[in-house]
Amino acid sequence: MSDAPRRVPRRVPPRVRVSADPSPPRGPGIRRPVTRSVPVPASASPGAFDEADAVYDRALRRSQLRLALGAVAGFVVVVVALTLAVALIPELDRWTLAGVPVSWLLHAFAFYPAIVVFAVLYTRGATRNERRYQALREHE
């Protein structure tokens, strides 16, 4: 007989399929009215006020969407320009600052100020849109 340890076959547990409970079937989408940002005056006729409210809300959403798309487009242009500058200007690799090539520094640190600038510009524009909306609602 040999002194080698005897191998005992390990029993592998069977695979188990795990799944979530089936979700209940959904009916057609529920339409909820747009919430009012200004309470309805008692003297206003409900139909006219709802229509005006919807017009103002749509205008606000459109202006916020335009602002967001403009901010994203501007940000993409700046990021692409920085990326192209780093990729296409070989002199940036030759210049160094504290032993680090300028192209690396641009790549590492130029994008963050761009993010902050566009975030601040968007926030100021969105706040201005909201103020205009509130001014329109108050003069109604």
Side-chain angles (χ1 to χ4, degrees):
M1 291 229 146
S2 146
D3 288 339
R6 192 171 151 197
R7 289 187 123 186
V8 178
R10 281 187 20 191
R11 197 166 164 234
V12 178
R15 296 184 89 173
V16 178
R17 184 177 189 182
V18 179
S19 63
D21 293 334
S23 60
R26 290 185 160 199
I30 299 171
R31 296 202 66 190
R32 294 187 180 101
V34 177
T35 58
R36 290 189 172 96
S37 56
V38 178
V40 178
S43 62
S45 64
F49 190 79
D50 287 339
E51 188 176 323
D53 195 32
V55 169
Y56 285 134
D57 286 341
R58 265 183 276 149
L60 175 64
R61 275 192 232 112
R62 263 187 267 125
S63 67
Q64 296 290 49
L65 179 62
R66 267 193 314 272
L67 177 66
L69 291 176
V72 167
F75 178 72
V76 167
V77 167
V78 168
V79 167
V80 167
L82 281 172
T83 303
L84 288 175
V86 168
L88 299 177
I89 303 174
E91 289 80 25
L92 293 176
D93 289 329
R94 292 187 202 115
W95 298 337
T96 60
L97 185 66
V100 180
V102 172
S103 64
W104 290 16
L105 294 173
L106 275 176
H107 190 66
F109 299 111
F111 292 100
Y112 296 109
I115 292 170
V116 171
V117 165
F118 279 100
V120 168
L121 289 174
Y122 176 77
T123 304
R124 289 179 63 199
T127 304
R128 185 181 62 241
N129 284 344
E130 292 285 338
R131 269 193 252 117
R132 287 179 184 165
Y133 172 77
Q134 288 298 329
L136 284 173
R137 298 295 300 156
E138 290 170 3
H139 289 294
E140 190 174 277

